[in-house]
Amino acid sequence: MTHDPPPPKKAGIAALLAVAIIGTMVVAIFIGFNFYHADTQRERQSGQVDQRDMPKTPTDLQVAPPRQ
């Protein structure tokens, strides 16, 4: 019975390195989203809204425009 030769050692190291890089990217994205969420949550709780998120027209809030 013939035995298959084991895979090269460098192939295992390359696979481990790829998994480590992908894992680091996932963790970095997760942490980045948490920082972004904390920042926007702080803005909402303080009552200050980013200018880009402010309504552009009276119908943005789905309310009738104020009477003058």
PDB file of all heavy atoms in Angstrom, residues 34-63:
ATOM      1  N   ASN A  34     -18.445  49.537  15.244  1.00  0.00           N
ATOM      2  CA  ASN A  34     -18.815  49.871  16.610  1.00  0.00           C
ATOM      3  C   ASN A  34     -18.449  51.310  16.951  1.00  0.00           C
ATOM      4  O   ASN A  34     -19.219  52.011  17.610  1.00  0.00           O
ATOM      5  CB  ASN A  34     -18.155  48.912  17.603  1.00  0.00           C
ATOM      6  CG  ASN A  34     -18.907  47.614  17.714  1.00  0.00           C
ATOM      7  OD1 ASN A  34     -20.105  47.566  17.472  1.00  0.00           O
ATOM      8  ND2 ASN A  34     -18.211  46.559  18.077  1.00  0.00           N
ATOM      9  N   PHE A  35     -17.267  51.780  16.525  1.00  0.00           N
ATOM     10  CA  PHE A  35     -16.893  53.175  16.761  1.00  0.00           C
ATOM     11  C   PHE A  35     -17.838  54.124  16.040  1.00  0.00           C
ATOM     12  O   PHE A  35     -18.247  55.144  16.583  1.00  0.00           O
ATOM     13  CB  PHE A  35     -15.453  53.441  16.316  1.00  0.00           C
ATOM     14  CG  PHE A  35     -14.427  52.990  17.314  1.00  0.00           C
ATOM     15  CD1 PHE A  35     -13.296  52.321  16.887  1.00  0.00           C
ATOM     16  CD2 PHE A  35     -14.574  53.236  18.667  1.00  0.00           C
ATOM     17  CE1 PHE A  35     -12.335  51.912  17.790  1.00  0.00           C
ATOM     18  CE2 PHE A  35     -13.627  52.822  19.581  1.00  0.00           C
ATOM     19  CZ  PHE A  35     -12.500  52.160  19.140  1.00  0.00           C
ATOM     20  N   TYR A  36     -18.203  53.793  14.799  1.00  0.00           N
ATOM     21  CA  TYR A  36     -19.118  54.639  14.040  1.00  0.00           C
ATOM     22  C   TYR A  36     -20.480  54.688  14.733  1.00  0.00           C
ATOM     23  O   TYR A  36     -21.087  55.749  14.877  1.00  0.00           O
ATOM     24  CB  TYR A  36     -19.269  54.121  12.610  1.00  0.00           C
ATOM     25  CG  TYR A  36     -20.322  54.863  11.827  1.00  0.00           C
ATOM     26  CD1 TYR A  36     -20.075  56.141  11.352  1.00  0.00           C
ATOM     27  CD2 TYR A  36     -21.562  54.293  11.579  1.00  0.00           C
ATOM     28  CE1 TYR A  36     -21.040  56.830  10.639  1.00  0.00           C
ATOM     29  CE2 TYR A  36     -22.531  54.976  10.875  1.00  0.00           C
ATOM     30  CZ  TYR A  36     -22.267  56.241  10.407  1.00  0.00           C
ATOM     31  OH  TYR A  36     -23.228  56.923   9.727  1.00  0.00           O
ATOM     32  N   HIS A  37     -20.973  53.531  15.161  1.00  0.00           N
ATOM     33  CA  HIS A  37     -22.272  53.481  15.827  1.00  0.00           C
ATOM     34  C   HIS A  37     -22.245  54.278  17.129  1.00  0.00           C
ATOM     35  O   HIS A  37     -23.202  54.985  17.439  1.00  0.00           O
ATOM     36  CB  HIS A  37     -22.676  52.032  16.099  1.00  0.00           C
ATOM     37  CG  HIS A  37     -23.941  51.906  16.872  1.00  0.00           C
ATOM     38  ND1 HIS A  37     -25.174  52.210  16.324  1.00  0.00           N
ATOM     39  CD2 HIS A  37     -24.185  51.549  18.154  1.00  0.00           C
ATOM     40  CE1 HIS A  37     -26.099  52.026  17.248  1.00  0.00           C
ATOM     41  NE2 HIS A  37     -25.529  51.626  18.355  1.00  0.00           N
ATOM     42  N   ALA A  38     -21.174  54.172  17.883  1.00  0.00           N
ATOM     43  CA  ALA A  38     -21.073  54.919  19.140  1.00  0.00           C
ATOM     44  C   ALA A  38     -21.075  56.419  18.875  1.00  0.00           C
ATOM     45  O   ALA A  38     -21.704  57.190  19.615  1.00  0.00           O
ATOM     46  CB  ALA A  38     -19.806  54.520  19.886  1.00  0.00           C
ATOM     47  N   ASP A  39     -20.408  56.848  17.809  1.00  0.00           N
ATOM     48  CA  ASP A  39     -20.362  58.271  17.470  1.00  0.00           C
ATOM     49  C   ASP A  39     -21.743  58.784  17.069  1.00  0.00           C
ATOM     50  O   ASP A  39     -22.186  59.830  17.548  1.00  0.00           O
ATOM     51  CB  ASP A  39     -19.359  58.496  16.343  1.00  0.00           C
ATOM     52  CG  ASP A  39     -19.098  59.955  16.085  1.00  0.00           C
ATOM     53  OD1 ASP A  39     -19.010  60.726  17.077  1.00  0.00           O
ATOM     54  OD2 ASP A  39     -18.970  60.347  14.911  1.00  0.00           O
ATOM     55  N   THR A  40     -22.447  58.061  16.204  1.00  0.00           N
ATOM     56  CA  THR A  40     -23.770  58.504  15.781  1.00  0.00           C
ATOM     57  C   THR A  40     -24.759  58.428  16.934  1.00  0.00           C
ATOM     58  O   THR A  40     -25.645  59.274  17.053  1.00  0.00           O
ATOM     59  CB  THR A  40     -24.282  57.686  14.587  1.00  0.00           C
ATOM     60  OG1 THR A  40     -24.262  56.303  14.927  1.00  0.00           O
ATOM     61  CG2 THR A  40     -23.446  57.925  13.349  1.00  0.00           C
ATOM     62  N   GLN A  41     -24.612  57.436  17.796  1.00  0.00           N
ATOM     63  CA  GLN A  41     -25.506  57.322  18.949  1.00  0.00           C
ATOM     64  C   GLN A  41     -25.300  58.511  19.891  1.00  0.00           C
ATOM     65  O   GLN A  41     -26.258  59.065  20.413  1.00  0.00           O
ATOM     66  CB  GLN A  41     -25.248  56.005  19.694  1.00  0.00           C
ATOM     67  CG  GLN A  41     -26.230  55.724  20.795  1.00  0.00           C
ATOM     68  CD  GLN A  41     -27.610  55.417  20.268  1.00  0.00           C
ATOM     69  OE1 GLN A  41     -27.792  55.079  19.105  1.00  0.00           O
ATOM     70  NE2 GLN A  41     -28.595  55.554  21.110  1.00  0.00           N
ATOM     71  N   ARG A  42     -24.059  58.917  20.089  1.00  0.00           N
ATOM     72  CA  ARG A  42     -23.764  60.067  20.942  1.00  0.00           C
ATOM     73  C   ARG A  42     -24.378  61.339  20.353  1.00  0.00           C
ATOM     74  O   ARG A  42     -24.928  62.164  21.076  1.00  0.00           O
ATOM     75  CB  ARG A  42     -22.253  60.224  21.097  1.00  0.00           C
ATOM     76  CG  ARG A  42     -21.834  61.190  22.163  1.00  0.00           C
ATOM     77  CD  ARG A  42     -20.326  61.254  22.340  1.00  0.00           C
ATOM     78  NE  ARG A  42     -19.690  59.949  22.511  1.00  0.00           N
ATOM     79  CZ  ARG A  42     -18.872  59.377  21.624  1.00  0.00           C
ATOM     80  NH1 ARG A  42     -18.551  60.000  20.512  1.00  0.00           N
ATOM     81  NH2 ARG A  42     -18.347  58.196  21.856  1.00  0.00           N
ATOM     82  N   GLU A  43     -24.292  61.498  19.015  1.00  0.00           N
ATOM     83  CA  GLU A  43     -24.890  62.660  18.361  1.00  0.00           C
ATOM     84  C   GLU A  43     -26.400  62.668  18.547  1.00  0.00           C
ATOM     85  O   GLU A  43     -26.986  63.710  18.844  1.00  0.00           O
ATOM     86  CB  GLU A  43     -24.578  62.654  16.868  1.00  0.00           C
ATOM     87  CG  GLU A  43     -23.164  63.015  16.523  1.00  0.00           C
ATOM     88  CD  GLU A  43     -22.902  62.903  15.024  1.00  0.00           C
ATOM     89  OE1 GLU A  43     -23.834  62.541  14.276  1.00  0.00           O
ATOM     90  OE2 GLU A  43     -21.767  63.171  14.626  1.00  0.00           O
ATOM     91  N   ARG A  44     -27.030  61.537  18.376  1.00  0.00           N
ATOM     92  CA  ARG A  44     -28.496  61.472  18.505  1.00  0.00           C
ATOM     93  C   ARG A  44     -28.931  61.761  19.935  1.00  0.00           C
ATOM     94  O   ARG A  44     -29.947  62.416  20.157  1.00  0.00           O
ATOM     95  CB  ARG A  44     -28.996  60.113  18.060  1.00  0.00           C
ATOM     96  CG  ARG A  44     -28.906  59.919  16.576  1.00  0.00           C
ATOM     97  CD  ARG A  44     -29.415  58.578  16.162  1.00  0.00           C
ATOM     98  NE  ARG A  44     -29.260  58.407  14.722  1.00  0.00           N
ATOM     99  CZ  ARG A  44     -29.241  57.253  14.118  1.00  0.00           C
ATOM    100  NH1 ARG A  44     -29.382  56.155  14.807  1.00  0.00           N
ATOM    101  NH2 ARG A  44     -29.085  57.190  12.814  1.00  0.00           N
ATOM    102  N   GLN A  45     -28.203  61.255  20.903  1.00  0.00           N
ATOM    103  CA  GLN A  45     -28.584  61.481  22.289  1.00  0.00           C
ATOM    104  C   GLN A  45     -28.350  62.918  22.720  1.00  0.00           C
ATOM    105  O   GLN A  45     -29.038  63.420  23.599  1.00  0.00           O
ATOM    106  CB  GLN A  45     -27.837  60.523  23.207  1.00  0.00           C
ATOM    107  CG  GLN A  45     -28.335  59.101  23.083  1.00  0.00           C
ATOM    108  CD  GLN A  45     -27.566  58.138  23.966  1.00  0.00           C
ATOM    109  OE1 GLN A  45     -26.518  58.463  24.505  1.00  0.00           O
ATOM    110  NE2 GLN A  45     -28.081  56.931  24.101  1.00  0.00           N
ATOM    111  N   SER A  46     -27.384  63.588  22.101  1.00  0.00           N
ATOM    112  CA  SER A  46     -27.122  64.977  22.469  1.00  0.00           C
ATOM    113  C   SER A  46     -28.065  65.930  21.746  1.00  0.00           C
ATOM    114  O   SER A  46     -28.119  67.107  22.076  1.00  0.00           O
ATOM    115  CB  SER A  46     -25.671  65.348  22.143  1.00  0.00           C
ATOM    116  OG  SER A  46     -25.478  65.404  20.744  1.00  0.00           O
ATOM    117  N   GLY A  47     -28.787  65.425  20.769  1.00  0.00           N
ATOM    118  CA  GLY A  47     -29.727  66.261  20.032  1.00  0.00           C
ATOM    119  C   GLY A  47     -29.111  66.962  18.845  1.00  0.00           C
ATOM    120  O   GLY A  47     -29.773  67.705  18.143  1.00  0.00           O
ATOM    121  N   GLN A  48     -27.843  66.759  18.600  1.00  0.00           N
ATOM    122  CA  GLN A  48     -27.189  67.376  17.454  1.00  0.00           C
ATOM    123  C   GLN A  48     -27.090  66.341  16.338  1.00  0.00           C
ATOM    124  O   GLN A  48     -26.579  65.253  16.545  1.00  0.00           O
ATOM    125  CB  GLN A  48     -25.802  67.877  17.838  1.00  0.00           C
ATOM    126  CG  GLN A  48     -25.862  68.951  18.885  1.00  0.00           C
ATOM    127  CD  GLN A  48     -24.482  69.437  19.281  1.00  0.00           C
ATOM    128  OE1 GLN A  48     -23.490  68.938  18.798  1.00  0.00           O
ATOM    129  NE2 GLN A  48     -24.443  70.395  20.166  1.00  0.00           N
ATOM    130  N   VAL A  49     -27.556  66.735  15.189  1.00  0.00           N
ATOM    131  CA  VAL A  49     -27.578  65.827  14.046  1.00  0.00           C
ATOM    132  C   VAL A  49     -26.582  66.321  13.002  1.00  0.00           C
ATOM    133  O   VAL A  49     -26.451  67.517  12.779  1.00  0.00           O
ATOM    134  CB  VAL A  49     -28.996  65.751  13.445  1.00  0.00           C
ATOM    135  CG1 VAL A  49     -29.044  64.809  12.261  1.00  0.00           C
ATOM    136  CG2 VAL A  49     -29.992  65.348  14.498  1.00  0.00           C
ATOM    137  N   ASP A  50     -25.907  65.403  12.393  1.00  0.00           N
ATOM    138  CA  ASP A  50     -24.969  65.734  11.328  1.00  0.00           C
ATOM    139  C   ASP A  50     -25.722  66.432  10.193  1.00  0.00           C
ATOM    140  O   ASP A  50     -26.844  66.061   9.857  1.00  0.00           O
ATOM    141  CB  ASP A  50     -24.300  64.456  10.824  1.00  0.00           C
ATOM    142  CG  ASP A  50     -23.158  64.723   9.866  1.00  0.00           C
ATOM    143  OD1 ASP A  50     -22.794  65.902   9.663  1.00  0.00           O
ATOM    144  OD2 ASP A  50     -22.626  63.749   9.311  1.00  0.00           O
ATOM    145  N   GLN A  51     -25.112  67.431   9.588  1.00  0.00           N
ATOM    146  CA  GLN A  51     -25.751  68.203   8.526  1.00  0.00           C
ATOM    147  C   GLN A  51     -26.174  67.322   7.349  1.00  0.00           C
ATOM    148  O   GLN A  51     -27.175  67.588   6.702  1.00  0.00           O
ATOM    149  CB  GLN A  51     -24.795  69.300   8.029  1.00  0.00           C
ATOM    150  CG  GLN A  51     -24.539  70.394   9.040  1.00  0.00           C
ATOM    151  CD  GLN A  51     -25.778  71.221   9.320  1.00  0.00           C
ATOM    152  OE1 GLN A  51     -26.633  71.377   8.466  1.00  0.00           O
ATOM    153  NE2 GLN A  51     -25.895  71.716  10.536  1.00  0.00           N
ATOM    154  N   ARG A  52     -25.438  66.270   7.077  1.00  0.00           N
ATOM    155  CA  ARG A  52     -25.789  65.386   5.969  1.00  0.00           C
ATOM    156  C   ARG A  52     -27.053  64.594   6.258  1.00  0.00           C
ATOM    157  O   ARG A  52     -27.725  64.135   5.346  1.00  0.00           O
ATOM    158  CB  ARG A  52     -24.640  64.427   5.679  1.00  0.00           C
ATOM    159  CG  ARG A  52     -23.393  65.133   5.187  1.00  0.00           C
ATOM    160  CD  ARG A  52     -22.259  64.180   5.108  1.00  0.00           C
ATOM    161  NE  ARG A  52     -21.916  63.807   6.483  1.00  0.00           N
ATOM    162  CZ  ARG A  52     -20.853  63.110   6.833  1.00  0.00           C
ATOM    163  NH1 ARG A  52     -20.040  62.652   5.931  1.00  0.00           N
ATOM    164  NH2 ARG A  52     -20.602  62.840   8.088  1.00  0.00           N
ATOM    165  N   ASP A  53     -27.391  64.413   7.547  1.00  0.00           N
ATOM    166  CA  ASP A  53     -28.571  63.637   7.917  1.00  0.00           C
ATOM    167  C   ASP A  53     -29.799  64.506   8.131  1.00  0.00           C
ATOM    168  O   ASP A  53     -30.889  63.980   8.344  1.00  0.00           O
ATOM    169  CB  ASP A  53     -28.294  62.842   9.191  1.00  0.00           C
ATOM    170  CG  ASP A  53     -27.214  61.809   8.994  1.00  0.00           C
ATOM    171  OD1 ASP A  53     -27.037  61.353   7.849  1.00  0.00           O
ATOM    172  OD2 ASP A  53     -26.536  61.461   9.976  1.00  0.00           O
ATOM    173  N   MET A  54     -29.647  65.807   8.097  1.00  0.00           N
ATOM    174  CA  MET A  54     -30.775  66.706   8.348  1.00  0.00           C
ATOM    175  C   MET A  54     -31.749  66.639   7.180  1.00  0.00           C
ATOM    176  O   MET A  54     -31.359  66.376   6.047  1.00  0.00           O
ATOM    177  CB  MET A  54     -30.278  68.132   8.548  1.00  0.00           C
ATOM    178  CG  MET A  54     -29.414  68.224   9.775  1.00  0.00           C
ATOM    179  SD  MET A  54     -29.378  69.761  10.641  1.00  0.00           S
ATOM    180  CE  MET A  54     -30.983  70.382  10.632  1.00  0.00           C
ATOM    181  N   PRO A  55     -33.039  66.875   7.445  1.00  0.00           N
ATOM    182  CA  PRO A  55     -34.017  66.861   6.353  1.00  0.00           C
ATOM    183  C   PRO A  55     -33.742  67.989   5.362  1.00  0.00           C
ATOM    184  O   PRO A  55     -33.375  69.085   5.743  1.00  0.00           O
ATOM    185  CB  PRO A  55     -35.352  67.049   7.058  1.00  0.00           C
ATOM    186  CG  PRO A  55     -35.047  67.454   8.437  1.00  0.00           C
ATOM    187  CD  PRO A  55     -33.635  67.106   8.736  1.00  0.00           C
ATOM    188  N   LYS A  56     -33.939  67.700   4.096  1.00  0.00           N
ATOM    189  CA  LYS A  56     -33.685  68.686   3.037  1.00  0.00           C
ATOM    190  C   LYS A  56     -34.956  69.472   2.687  1.00  0.00           C
ATOM    191  O   LYS A  56     -34.900  70.616   2.318  1.00  0.00           O
ATOM    192  CB  LYS A  56     -33.165  68.000   1.773  1.00  0.00           C
ATOM    193  CG  LYS A  56     -31.973  67.094   2.006  1.00  0.00           C
ATOM    194  CD  LYS A  56     -30.750  67.876   2.423  1.00  0.00           C
ATOM    195  CE  LYS A  56     -29.524  66.999   2.505  1.00  0.00           C
ATOM    196  NZ  LYS A  56     -29.260  66.360   3.751  1.00  0.00           N
ATOM    197  N   THR A  57     -36.105  68.792   2.779  1.00  0.00           N
ATOM    198  CA  THR A  57     -37.381  69.430   2.462  1.00  0.00           C
ATOM    199  C   THR A  57     -38.362  69.112   3.587  1.00  0.00           C
ATOM    200  O   THR A  57     -38.136  68.194   4.380  1.00  0.00           O
ATOM    201  CB  THR A  57     -37.949  68.902   1.132  1.00  0.00           C
ATOM    202  OG1 THR A  57     -38.261  67.515   1.290  1.00  0.00           O
ATOM    203  CG2 THR A  57     -36.963  69.077  -0.009  1.00  0.00           C
ATOM    204  N   PRO A  58     -39.458  69.846   3.669  1.00  0.00           N
ATOM    205  CA  PRO A  58     -40.444  69.561   4.724  1.00  0.00           C
ATOM    206  C   PRO A  58     -41.030  68.157   4.645  1.00  0.00           C
ATOM    207  O   PRO A  58     -41.460  67.604   5.641  1.00  0.00           O
ATOM    208  CB  PRO A  58     -41.529  70.611   4.501  1.00  0.00           C
ATOM    209  CG  PRO A  58     -40.859  71.701   3.753  1.00  0.00           C
ATOM    210  CD  PRO A  58     -39.791  71.050   2.924  1.00  0.00           C
ATOM    211  N   THR A  59     -41.049  67.550   3.462  1.00  0.00           N
ATOM    212  CA  THR A  59     -41.645  66.216   3.340  1.00  0.00           C
ATOM    213  C   THR A  59     -40.672  65.110   3.746  1.00  0.00           C
ATOM    214  O   THR A  59     -41.062  63.950   3.790  1.00  0.00           O
ATOM    215  CB  THR A  59     -42.119  65.975   1.894  1.00  0.00           C
ATOM    216  OG1 THR A  59     -41.006  66.143   1.016  1.00  0.00           O
ATOM    217  CG2 THR A  59     -43.235  66.938   1.524  1.00  0.00           C
ATOM    218  N   ASP A  60     -39.450  65.464   4.058  1.00  0.00           N
ATOM    219  CA  ASP A  60     -38.498  64.439   4.505  1.00  0.00           C
ATOM    220  C   ASP A  60     -38.948  63.789   5.806  1.00  0.00           C
ATOM    221  O   ASP A  60     -38.670  62.633   6.060  1.00  0.00           O
ATOM    222  CB  ASP A  60     -37.092  65.022   4.693  1.00  0.00           C
ATOM    223  CG  ASP A  60     -36.383  65.229   3.364  1.00  0.00           C
ATOM    224  OD1 ASP A  60     -36.892  64.728   2.339  1.00  0.00           O
ATOM    225  OD2 ASP A  60     -35.350  65.891   3.361  1.00  0.00           O
ATOM    226  N   LEU A  61     -39.635  64.567   6.649  1.00  0.00           N
ATOM    227  CA  LEU A  61     -40.103  64.025   7.922  1.00  0.00           C
ATOM    228  C   LEU A  61     -41.528  63.510   7.829  1.00  0.00           C
ATOM    229  O   LEU A  61     -42.100  63.058   8.814  1.00  0.00           O
ATOM    230  CB  LEU A  61     -40.008  65.087   9.013  1.00  0.00           C
ATOM    231  CG  LEU A  61     -38.595  65.580   9.307  1.00  0.00           C
ATOM    232  CD1 LEU A  61     -38.656  66.704  10.326  1.00  0.00           C
ATOM    233  CD2 LEU A  61     -37.746  64.449   9.826  1.00  0.00           C
ATOM    234  N   GLN A  62     -42.120  63.598   6.630  1.00  0.00           N
ATOM    235  CA  GLN A  62     -43.483  63.140   6.397  1.00  0.00           C
ATOM    236  C   GLN A  62     -44.484  63.881   7.267  1.00  0.00           C
ATOM    237  O   GLN A  62     -45.428  63.305   7.798  1.00  0.00           O
ATOM    238  CB  GLN A  62     -43.596  61.629   6.595  1.00  0.00           C
ATOM    239  CG  GLN A  62     -42.707  60.830   5.687  1.00  0.00           C
ATOM    240  CD  GLN A  62     -43.031  61.039   4.213  1.00  0.00           C
ATOM    241  OE1 GLN A  62     -44.185  61.101   3.847  1.00  0.00           O
ATOM    242  NE2 GLN A  62     -42.008  61.147   3.389  1.00  0.00           N
ATOM    243  N   VAL A  63     -44.287  65.170   7.436  1.00  0.00           N
ATOM    244  CA  VAL A  63     -45.253  66.011   8.165  1.00  0.00           C
ATOM    245  C   VAL A  63     -45.655  67.152   7.234  1.00  0.00           C
ATOM    246  O   VAL A  63     -44.970  67.505   6.282  1.00  0.00           O
ATOM    247  CB  VAL A  63     -44.643  66.591   9.452  1.00  0.00           C
ATOM    248  CG1 VAL A  63     -44.328  65.490  10.438  1.00  0.00           C
ATOM    249  CG2 VAL A  63     -43.423  67.419   9.171  1.00  0.00           C
TER     250      VAL A  63
END
